[in-house]
Amino acid sequence: MRTEQKKTQQVTVGKVMVGGGAPVVIQSMTNTDTADVGATVAQIRELEAAGSELVRITVNNEASAAAVGEIRQQLDDMGINVPLVGDFHFNGHRLLEKYPDCARTLAKYRINPGNVGSGEKRDEQFNAMIKKAIDYGKAVRIGVNWGSMDKQLVARMMDENARSAAPLDADQMTREIMVASALESAARAEAVGLGADRIILSCKMSGVQDLIAVYEMLAERCDYALHLGLTEAGMGSKGIVASTAALSVLLQQGIGDTIRISLTPEPGGSRTTEVKVAQQILQALGLRSFAPQVIACPGCGRTTSSYFQQLAQDIQDYLDASMPRWRSEHPGVEEMNVAVMGCVVNGPGESKHANIGISLPGTGEQPAAPVYVDGVKTVTLKGEAVAVEFQQIIERYVRERYSS
């Protein structure tokens, strides 16, 4: 059983509520040159359509800072109100000062305490960014990343550890430094005047066990809203599996208020994959529902025909294509389960447990496919039109069960 979600400060990002018991929010990030307004708007639009509720954009130079206002305007003209998060490193204090439209337009600033400066300039430049957030009423994510930790903090804590009677090992110290960086930076932001209800923390690692350990420590030591993400997760199945393993353990403990799946896209692949994976994680854990799910068996020697595999794919494609229409016309349909099973072993049982299920004939079985609706057998389909007839049954069920 999942642990109750940890109570954290609620933060308003645009019109999106993060923390405070609100549903876990999905975030993504563009990989376009932000100064290319057309390409950036197109990708934000694609990510938002896929279900991203916050979109982060790189603001790394004057051209990108100058483009933020126009990006926001074009999105607004399209009716796309997804909040934009500005990702700042090294020069954020200068860009927010020189481009007030950028500072005003962004819903949240992401600040990496390891990349805001060094020596005496570090606090000054960090404070300058926090003051802009205060002036414009913006939220701030203080995002610590183990690849760019605050060198002064590292040196100080390493020296303290070396003098300790029971020094921690290197892995333990890395985790302690990550958490200390986040909490000290948050305390500094509050000292400047930023409310705790404007602060989100993250401590991103690329190792699954490291990430779990750091967030367990962070959740125990503060009640700030937390953003989860395995950084540099990688490509394809490796990145998906690693991100799922790490985030699922934390979410199951009630830790985490926003998530991002940091996948390296396949060459030519869509950036929206990271959004879909995030949705699947939350839906698999029973935390949120985004679209009807197809339950299908993997196939075996009883299902030598590929027909049920094709039908399962066709039904999933049909559900995906129907969701834009269903979402507004049939609230609640995202919780529907559809079973497409390949033989008589588990077919009838799984079909009865789904909202709608079909049990196809396996090898040597009678060429008939019973259909179950809410656990009751309603019809047996035969012949060449099984796929079309089954879709019609689903459509009728959606109209009748999920009427607005």
Side-chain angles (χ1 to χ4, degrees):
M1 182 179 294
R2 178 179 181 267
T3 303
E4 184 178 349
Q5 187 170 2
K6 185 181 184 297
K7 192 71 172 179
T8 57
Q9 294 277 350
Q10 186 167 83
V11 181
T12 303
V13 183
K15 294 183 179 180
V16 175
M17 297 298 176
V18 175
V24 179
V25 173
I26 292 175
Q27 179 171 309
S28 61
M29 185 175 184
T30 60
N31 62 356
T32 58
D33 179 354
T34 305
D36 185 340
V37 173
T40 303
V41 168
Q43 193 170 77
I44 294 171
R45 183 180 185 182
E46 183 182 24
L47 290 166
E48 189 270 346
S52 184
E53 294 155 314
L54 298 174
V55 177
R56 183 156 50 114
I57 59 176
T58 297
V59 187
N60 60 331
N61 53 37
E62 294 198 11
S64 62
V68 170
E70 178 60 24
I71 290 168
R72 179 75 271 169
Q73 185 60 57
Q74 290 194 21
L75 292 169
D76 289 344
D77 291 345
M78 297 174 183
I80 299 171
N81 59 8
V82 63
L84 301 181
V85 180
D87 193 53
F88 294 99
H89 296 275
F90 310 112
N91 58 358
H93 58 290
R94 291 198 301 270
L95 296 176
L96 288 171
E97 176 65 34
K98 186 170 182 178
Y99 294 90
D101 193 40
C102 171
R104 187 183 306 110
T105 297
L106 295 168
K108 183 172 73 172
Y109 309 157
R110 188 271 177 138
I111 303 174
N112 182 340
N115 289 338
V116 293
S118 59
E120 295 180 357
K121 291 184 177 179
R122 182 189 60 179
D123 288 354
E124 176 186 336
Q125 292 171 181
F126 179 86
N127 293 353
M129 298 181 74
I130 296 300
K131 287 176 181 177
K132 287 299 177 186
I134 296 169
D135 291 345
Y136 292 105
K138 305 301 181 181
V140 171
R141 173 158 73 91
I142 296 173
V144 183
N145 192 302
W146 82 316
S148 52
M149 290 192 290
D150 183 335
K151 294 180 177 59
Q152 290 173 287
L153 179 64
V154 171
R156 186 192 86 205
M157 291 189 66
M158 285 295 189
D159 287 345
E160 292 172 354
N161 185 58
R163 294 192 298 269
S164 171
L168 302 177
D169 65 30
D171 287 342
Q172 291 172 318
M173 272 310 299
T174 298
R175 296 166 183 172
E176 286 289 344
I177 292 168
M178 292 282 289
V179 173
S181 179
L183 294 180
E184 289 184 13
S185 298
R188 188 178 303 121
E190 286 202 63
V192 174
L194 188 68
D197 61 349
R198 291 285 181 183
I199 297 173
I200 298 173
L201 298 186
S202 68
C203 286
K204 290 195 172 183
M205 313 279 279
S206 60
V208 171
Q209 296 296 345
D210 289 323
L211 190 83
I212 292 170
V214 162
Y215 274 95
E216 287 175 342
M217 293 163 60
L218 198 58
E220 186 177 333
R221 299 180 191 181
C222 75
D223 63 354
Y224 294 110
L226 300 180
H227 170 79
L228 305 185
L230 187 75
T231 192
E232 286 88 43
M235 298 181 71
S237 60
K238 183 268 180 186
I240 293 172
V241 170
S243 293
T244 303
L247 269 60
S248 294
V249 171
L250 293 167
L251 292 166
Q252 186 70 14
Q253 296 181 68
I255 298 171
D257 301 293
T258 74
I259 64 172
R260 192 236 168 157
I261 309 300
S262 300
L263 298 178
T264 303
E266 301 285 351
S270 173
R271 194 74 167 176
T272 59
T273 300
E274 65 179 55
V275 178
K276 296 173 183 176
V277 172
Q279 291 176 331
Q280 289 292 337
I281 291 172
L282 295 178
Q283 188 146 349
L285 290 171
L287 299 180
R288 295 184 64 184
S289 295
F290 298 94
Q293 299 293 293
V294 172
I295 301 163
C297 63
C300 66
R302 289 176 175 270
T303 56
T304 51
S305 168
S306 63
Y307 182 79
F308 91 93
Q309 300 166 346
Q310 186 60 54
L311 181 61
Q313 183 63 62
D314 290 346
I315 294 302
Q316 186 64 70
D317 292 344
Y318 165 73
L319 296 175
D320 292 343
S322 300
M323 269 309 291
R325 171 172 55 88
W326 286 350
R327 187 174 289 111
S328 59
E329 297 177 2
H330 304 288
V333 70
E334 63 276 3
E335 299 178 2
M336 181 175 68
N337 288 318
V338 178
V340 179
M341 304 301 293
C343 78
V344 75
V345 173
N346 292 317
E350 287 283 4
S351 296
K352 289 177 183 177
H353 285 111
N355 296 100
I356 303 175
I358 185 169
S359 181
L360 295 169
T363 303
E365 294 176 10
Q366 182 184 357
V371 174
Y372 298 83
V373 176
D374 289 332
V376 178
K377 181 180 174 181
T378 59
V379 68
T380 299
L381 303 180
K382 300 178 181 179
E384 300 296 323
V386 168
V388 173
E389 292 174 9
F390 189 55
Q391 287 185 17
Q392 292 172 346
I393 292 170
I394 295 172
E395 186 71 40
R396 184 165 60 249
Y397 181 86
V398 169
R399 281 200 310 269
E400 295 172 357
R401 172 69 183 274
Y402 302 102
S403 172
S404 59

